[in-house]
Amino acid sequence: RHLKTEKDVMEALRIFFSKRSKPITPPTNHNENQAIAPLLSEVLGDVTSKLRDLESCFEKNMELSFHASSILIIREGDVTKGNNDCCLKTIDFSHICRKTGGDKGYIHGLQTLKS
């Protein structure tokens, strides 16, 4: 599926971070939505914290630039069962080069993803 608009991206993230043990469907009622919201908030808080940690590493980096690398977010479990394991990895290191001052573009991308 192609993500062309901000709305498409937000919907894809909603699906990714919501219940995973059953097919994804929008909440059928307001109560279900209210029950899931705090759990999703916890998962997103964990991802945001890990993005901040990665950003801190890149702010200290003054020698390398990471062109066309990616961030892999792995989320396992079912938020409704309290199983909210997530892991964040930087992948695709084929285009790293030395650059004085580090990689401000990567930091900008991390800040954008956090927001």
Side-chain angles (χ1 to χ4, degrees):
R1 170 175 143 172
H2 297 280
L3 305 176
K4 297 179 181 176
T5 66
E6 182 177 341
K7 183 178 178 183
D8 293 342
V9 172
M10 295 306 291
E11 177 63 11
L13 289 172
R14 185 194 68 77
I15 290 169
F16 181 76
F17 287 112
S18 62
K19 293 189 258 185
R20 303 293 286 188
S21 62
K22 301 178 192 174
I24 302 298
T25 56
T28 55
N29 62 54
H30 182 67
N31 291 338
E32 182 181 350
N33 202 14
Q34 283 185 322
I36 293 172
L39 300 170
L40 290 176
S41 180
E42 180 182 325
V43 173
L44 291 174
D46 191 26
V47 170
T48 302
S49 174
K50 290 177 181 181
L51 287 169
R52 274 194 291 274
D53 292 345
L54 185 59
E55 182 182 0
S56 176
C57 290
F58 273 87
E59 286 172 343
K60 295 173 188 168
N61 163 44
M62 293 295 150
E63 298 179 18
L64 300 174
S65 182
F66 291 70
H67 297 278
S69 66
S70 301
I71 297 173
L72 174 64
I73 301 171
I74 304 162
R75 202 205 58 79
E76 298 182 280
D78 184 336
V79 296
T80 62
K81 295 178 182 175
N83 182 3
N84 302 322
D85 296 333
C86 75
C87 181
L88 190 134
K89 302 284 182 182
T90 303
I91 59 173
D92 303 331
F93 295 104
S94 61
H95 301 290
I96 296 175
C97 62
R98 292 205 178 273
K99 179 180 175 189
T100 303
D103 194 336
K104 303 298 182 211
Y106 202 95
I107 293 170
H108 176 73
L110 288 169
Q111 292 168 342
T112 301
L113 187 56
K114 285 187 320 186
S115 65

